[in-house]
Amino acid sequence: MSSTFTIIDIETDLSCPGASAFVQIELNDRTDYPLASSASTPAIVPAKFRNYAEQVRDFQVFDDDVWIVTYPKCGTTWTQEMVWLIDHDLDYETARAVNLNTRSVFLEIGAIADKIPVDTVTAAANLKRPRHIKSHLPLALLPRQLWTVKPKIIYVARNPKDVAVSYLHHYQMIMGYRGTKDAFLNGLLEDR
């Protein structure tokens, strides 16, 4: 167990092939976060994240970074592409030749998905600057330097009803979820 986080193994009926187990994780010291009260809610994440939580919290942030931070299924991919193109003078040739996930790394995907063996936290750290980094992590789990270094942060929001339907389909098609719609939506409402 970390002194920075309290991590508890949990049981959930939302298991899927992409993540075999889940943990509840809570930041113990929220004094260095703005809106500290909003960072106080424990998050439910795949258990694999316990091995990366400290590394993400201590992730070095640069002032020329561009962070795209969203709740899942809010238009993140479109935003990543638009922002990368704007920041690279509409370099469509490179955009066509280099996969978006290489140009704009999904910080925690390798730290949460059982079947993704890539260390995306290290990959994001090693990106050529200016780095483009995507994350779906809740406030308390993001790197603490975001609040002191102050890179560009683009936050995307979407109508919650659209998010819920899109997230359910994502979980069914990509993550292999086979539970009921009601169980999924209740889990979503409960932040699970």
Side-chain angles (χ1 to χ4, degrees):
M1 185 159 320
S2 156
S3 62
T4 305
F5 297 101
T6 298
I7 302 173
I8 302 167
D9 293 313
I10 64 162
E11 294 289 325
T12 180
D13 57 353
L14 293 179
S15 65
C16 62
S20 57
F22 293 83
V23 295
Q24 176 178 294
I25 183 168
E26 183 174 9
L27 181 62
N28 291 330
D29 180 11
R30 296 176 286 278
T31 57
D32 57 353
Y33 278 85
L35 306 170
S37 63
S38 67
S40 65
T41 304
I44 306 297
V45 295
K48 185 178 177 185
F49 188 74
R50 81 169 70 234
N51 302 322
Y52 292 88
E54 295 284 348
Q55 185 181 357
V56 170
R57 179 170 168 75
D58 295 333
F59 188 88
Q60 183 173 10
V61 175
F62 297 103
D63 62 359
D64 61 347
D65 283 349
V66 178
W67 286 74
I68 299 165
V69 181
T70 71
Y71 192 81
K73 309 316 293 174
C74 285
T76 316
T77 303
W78 290 19
T79 303
Q80 284 175 270
E81 191 69 72
M82 287 185 292
V83 169
W84 189 91
L85 283 166
I86 290 167
D87 201 28
H88 291 85
D89 298 320
L90 303 179
D91 181 359
Y92 291 104
E93 186 176 316
T94 300
R96 277 190 290 276
V98 180
N99 185 289
L100 177 61
N101 294 319
T102 301
R103 293 180 280 125
S104 181
V105 173
F106 186 177
L107 178 69
E108 70 270 11
I109 191 66
I112 62 171
D114 289 346
K115 295 182 180 181
I116 296 182
V118 178
D119 179 353
T120 52
V121 177
T122 299
N126 293 331
L127 279 173
K128 180 182 171 193
R129 292 174 57 190
R131 303 179 307 182
H132 284 234
I133 301 169
K134 159 189 167 176
S135 180
H136 292 317
L137 289 172
L139 180 71
L141 301 184
L142 287 168
R144 63 179 157 186
Q145 284 188 0
L146 283 176
W147 320 119
T148 55
V149 175
K150 300 183 179 179
K152 293 178 188 86
I153 299 175
I154 298 166
Y155 180 78
V156 182
R158 182 180 181 193
N159 181 317
K161 292 176 188 177
D162 294 332
V163 169
V165 171
S166 182
Y167 208 1
L168 172 62
H169 291 299
H170 174 87
Y171 246 69
Q172 289 170 330
M173 294 185 309
I174 306 296
M175 304 299 286
Y177 176 69
R178 296 295 174 250
T180 67
K181 179 169 61 170
D182 286 344
F184 182 85
L185 296 175
N186 287 332
L188 193 62
L189 288 171
E190 295 166 3
D191 264 347
R192 294 184 151 264

